[in-house]
């Protein structure tokens, strides 16, 4: 029997579902309703139009309605807003904005892919002013760019430090604007841990981006964004990037079940509480593979997989997936930043006992001309060693390493499997023992109690309380910059100067990146020093952790001079 399938919303979820249905059924009647002007566009590429990475707005549009008709034998109706789902009659009410008319369309199966809309909190006075923009679709970003260029404006404030906010800020800087980022939390990009995100804070600082963290916006005027403290930030234009809210109005009014996170509740086959209605993409809630809790994940990759799952299930093909883990990557000027799984905050919230290794090896063989440090943090369950998450930041291929961990997490792998993982190697691309292998080895050592560590976040407290800290770098390195009150005892002189190391108090060691201090800790342990502890992240990590806060000038520095290599 010929089926009639309606899809509400295009882009990653709706358009993908339509294409999959056509591959499964050549006879089905497929209609897509999209209330914007474009049914299929690269949503994630929108910020790059501001910076000229994408030069022509037309390139943002992936497939036009005419192409859907010719290539897939389906109808895509733009500027067509679905106003209601009438479950009893199995129809939808559609408003054709171009024609100015309403009509009913029947369905056998319905897929909801309405997406999410940018948050516009009513608590911020002036948020509806004409120079305040949000970026959701092609029209939004085109209007923003035209506004900035036509009025020859210079100062832009981005409210929100998530992925869209930071990508928008970077691209505006590349376009020549003075940019400030306001974020209510104490850090940008909450998916990264505090010790890792400081690297990105510094990169933004180095590229002239003003960061205003830990304070909410109170008011937007014609020329300023005013913070709760009364501080004023010059703003010729404002971009809202404070997160998104799932578009669940249709589902709620139709009586479909809404989940605890505020997204549409679906089963593992993306079927809603109505067996003839499916939902995919940013509007639904999904199950996190590691915590087994409901979450909302606004990423294109999962949306496309959900679209395929829904289409498959309509034709009797069930899904055997195990949930999402949340893998992301972005560029912040010179740096690539990627993450997957759970960070420390999420692990604490979930009540999962965990440990972590933080290593800073070179991303390829050191004699290669484009070699650079890669900060890599690996999180694992205690005591099992099961992999729980990872974060990587550097000029090299951070995404490649995180993709490896994402694949391992999806297979419930642990530190032992990661240690033994055989990966490609060439001096141009990596090292014989890759970053991920090294992180696994460090994790296994920590898990077994072979040595102890403290994180860079604890160093300020150690310095202020007068802890005994040994810097095992060479004398010249130490003289160029070091922790206040640290003792310089180079690894090359360690065994001849054992008498200088106390045994009656804790001793903390660091070098530049952690490798030499680890060697020193193991040597001292073998020589009877049971009181030694390595500083994870070492001096490079300390400098990056301290730099942004020190740049604000509101506390005493604990580092004489910073080293960032």
């Amino acid at each position: 029997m010929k089926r009639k399938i309606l899809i509400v919303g295009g882009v990653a979820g709706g358009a993908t579902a339509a294409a999959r249905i056509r591959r499964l059924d050549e006879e089905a009647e497929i209609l897509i309703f999209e209330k914007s002007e474009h049914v299929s566009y690269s949503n994630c590429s929108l910020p790059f139009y501001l910076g000229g990475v994408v030069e022509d707005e037309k390139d943002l549009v992936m497939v036009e309605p005419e192409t859907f008709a010719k290539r897939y034998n389906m109808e895509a109706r733009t500027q067509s807003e679905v106003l209601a789902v009438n479950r009893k009659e199995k129809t939808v009410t559609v408003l054709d904005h171009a024609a100015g008319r309403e009509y009913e369309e029947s369905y056998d199966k319905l897929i909801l892919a309405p997406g999410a809309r940018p948050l516009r909190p009513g608590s911020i006075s002036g948020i509806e002013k004409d120079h305040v923009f949000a970026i959701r679709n092609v029209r939004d970003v085109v209007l923003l760019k035209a506004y900035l260029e036509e009025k020859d404006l210079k100062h832009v404030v981005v409210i929100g430090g998530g992925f869209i906010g930071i990508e928008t800020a970077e691209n505006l800087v590349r376009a020549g604007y003075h940019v400030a980022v306001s974020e209510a939390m104490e850090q940008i990009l909450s998916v990264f841990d505090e010790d890792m995100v400081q690297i990105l804070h510094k990169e933004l600082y180095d590229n002239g981006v003003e960061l205003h963290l830990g304070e909410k916006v109170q008011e937007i005027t014609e020329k300023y964004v005013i913070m709760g403290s009364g501080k004023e930030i010059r703003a010729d234009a404002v971009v809202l990037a404070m997160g998104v809210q799932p578009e669940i109005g249709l589902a709620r009014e139709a009586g479909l079940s809404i989940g605890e996170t505020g997204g549409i509740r679906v089963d593992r086959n993306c079927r809603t509480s109505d067996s003839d209605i499916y939902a995919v993409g940013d509007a639904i809630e999904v199950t996190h593979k590691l915590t087994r809790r409901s979450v909302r994940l606004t990423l294109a990759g999962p949306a496309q997989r959900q679209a395929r799952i829904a289409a498959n299930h309509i034709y009797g093909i069930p899904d055997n997936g195990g949930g999402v883990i949340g893998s992301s990557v972005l560029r912040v000027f010179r740096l690539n930043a990627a993450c997957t799984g759970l960070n420390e905050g999420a692990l604490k919230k979930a009540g999962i006992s965990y440990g972590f290794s933080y290593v800073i090896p070179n991303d390829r063989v050191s004699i290669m001309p484009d070699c650079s440090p890669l900060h890599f943090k690996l999180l694992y369950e205690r005591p099992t060693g099961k992999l729980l998450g990872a974060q990587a930041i550097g000029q090299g291929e951070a995404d490649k390493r995180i993709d490896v961990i994402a694949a391992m997490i999806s297979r419930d792998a642990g530190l032992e499997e990661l240690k033994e993982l055989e990966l490609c190697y060439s001096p141009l691309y990596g090292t014989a023992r890759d970053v991920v292998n090294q992180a696994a080895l460090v994790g296994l050592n920590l898990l077994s109690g072979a040595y102890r560590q403290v994180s860079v976040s604890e160093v300020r407290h150690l310095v202020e309380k007068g802890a005994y800290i040994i810097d095992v770098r060479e004398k010249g390195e130490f003289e160029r910059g070091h922790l206040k009150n640290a003792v310089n005892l180079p690894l090359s002189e360690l065994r001849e100067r054992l008498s200088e190391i106390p045994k009656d108090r804790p001793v903390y060691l660091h070098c530049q990146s952690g490798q030499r201090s680890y060697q020193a800790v193991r040597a001292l342990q073998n020589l009877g020093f049971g009181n030694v502890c390595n500083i994870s992240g070492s001096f490079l990590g300390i400098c990056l952790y301290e730099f942004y806060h020190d740049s604000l000038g509101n506390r005493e520095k604990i580092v004489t001079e910073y080293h960032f290599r």
Side-chain angles (χ1 to χ4, degrees), residues 236-446:
D236 299 322
V238 177
V239 181
L240 301 178
M242 305 171 69
V244 295
Q245 184 173 352
E247 291 275 22
I248 61 172
L250 272 179
R252 178 186 284 128
E253 290 168 14
L256 299 178
S257 178
I258 305 300
E260 62 190 67
T261 67
I264 302 169
R265 177 175 284 132
V266 297
D267 64 17
R268 66 188 303 164
N269 293 293
C270 295
R271 188 169 50 181
T272 70
S273 52
D274 185 316
S275 61
D276 290 320
I277 303 177
Y278 296 75
V280 301
D282 296 353
I284 72 170
E285 71 173 22
V286 291
T287 301
H288 198 286
K289 176 180 173 58
L290 295 169
T291 65
R292 307 315 301 173
R293 295 180 180 178
S294 296
V295 296
R296 286 194 292 110
L297 191 66
T298 55
L299 295 172
Q304 288 193 342
R305 290 195 293 276
Q306 292 153 16
R308 183 182 177 93
I309 288 168
N312 282 353
H313 192 260
I314 289 173
Y315 288 90
I317 307 170
D319 177 65
N320 296 312
V324 300
I325 56 175
S327 301
S328 305
V329 64
L330 81 162
R331 185 186 68 187
V332 183
F333 294 101
R334 299 172 305 157
L335 298 179
N336 302 309
C339 61
T340 192
L342 302 172
N343 63 9
E344 288 199 66
L347 288 165
K348 290 173 182 175
K349 185 176 180 179
I352 299 174
S353 179
Y354 71 94
F356 71 88
S357 58
Y358 177 10
V359 297
I360 318 174
N362 290 321
D363 61 351
R364 61 204 70 201
V365 172
S366 60
I367 59 174
M368 293 295 107
D370 52 355
C371 166
S372 62
L374 184 65
H375 294 255
F376 190 86
K377 184 173 184 178
L378 181 67
L379 299 115
Y380 52 86
E381 186 178 49
R382 286 185 176 276
T384 66
K386 177 183 175 181
L387 301 178
L388 299 173
Q391 300 156 45
I393 302 175
Q395 295 182 37
E397 290 81 5
D399 59 328
K400 178 173 78 171
R401 274 67 185 213
I402 293 301
D403 283 343
V404 168
I405 304 302
M408 299 291 279
I409 290 175
S410 71
R411 293 294 177 264
D412 297 316
L415 293 171
E416 284 287 352
E417 291 89 346
L418 183 59
K419 176 194 73 172
E420 296 297 331
L421 194 64
E422 183 179 343
L423 300 168
C424 295
Y425 164 62
S426 163
L428 288 169
Y429 298 101
T431 53
R433 177 184 291 157
D434 191 76
V435 174
V436 299
N437 303 124
Q438 185 171 332
L441 288 167
V442 171
L444 286 167
N445 281 332
L446 291 168

Side-chain angles (χ1 to χ4, degrees), residues 8 10 74 115 118 130 133 184 192 206 216 293-294 302 337 353 357 508:
V8 181
M74 65 180 67
D130 290 341
F133 297 83
F192 290 92
D206 287 348
K216 292 184 178 180
R293 295 180 180 178
S294 296
S353 179
S357 58
Y508 304 90

Side-chain angles (χ1 to χ4, degrees), residues 7 29 78 112 172 181 213 236 245 275 294 306-307 321 340 357 378 399 479 485 498-499 530 548 554 562:
I7 301 172
E29 181 182 356
T78 58
L112 301 177
L172 288 170
V181 173
L213 305 177
D236 299 322
Q245 184 173 352
S275 61
S294 296
Q306 292 153 16
T340 192
S357 58
L378 181 67
D399 59 328
E479 290 175 346
N485 303 322
L498 296 176
S499 61
Y548 173 71
N554 56 9
Y562 302 105

